[in-house]
């Protein structure tokens, strides 16, 4: 007989429309059904920011290739651009 273990997972939000990971894999962004964009430290799973602008479900998030911008698109027909600090570059 097989035994399955169930692991309880902390739910970040009530629902997610999308998830994006920054190019350096340090930051994760979520598009929430609660009209918010949330950012997390991808390694520690710690919240970094909660961005509120949309008036409807946020359906998509995407980082720019240079990691300086985050775009979010919502059911309110709005695309928001968020200016971000770029990742540190090793010298």
């Amino acid at each position: 007989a097989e035994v399955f273990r169930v692991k309880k997972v902390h739910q970040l939000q009530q629902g997610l429309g999308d998830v994006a990971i920054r190019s350096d894999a340090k930051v994760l962004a979520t598009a929430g059904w609660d009209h918010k964009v949330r950012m997390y430290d991808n390694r520690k799973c710690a919240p970094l920011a909660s961005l509120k602008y949309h008036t409807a479900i946020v359906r998509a998030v995407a980082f720019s290739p240079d990691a300086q911008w985050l775009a979010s698109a919502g059911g309110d027909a709005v695309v928001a651009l968020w200016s971000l600090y770029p990742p540190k570059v090793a010298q």
Side-chain angles (χ1 to χ4, degrees), residues 1-2 16 20-21 24 29 34 38 46 49 57 59 61 63 66 69-70 72 76 79 90:
E2 290 185 38
L16 299 176
I21 299 175
D24 65 357
D34 61 356
R38 286 189 169 83
I57 293 171
R59 300 192 182 276
V61 287
F63 287 99
D66 63 3
W69 298 91
L70 174 70
S72 60
D76 52 5
V79 174

Side-chain angles (χ1 to χ4, degrees), residues 11-19 30-38 40 57-59:
Q11 187 173 353
L12 300 177
Q13 298 171 216
Q14 292 179 358
L16 299 176
D18 195 16
V19 175
T30 62
W33 292 358
D34 61 356
H35 311 178
K36 294 179 184 177
V37 173
R38 286 189 169 83
Y40 297 89
I57 293 171
V58 184
R59 300 192 182 276

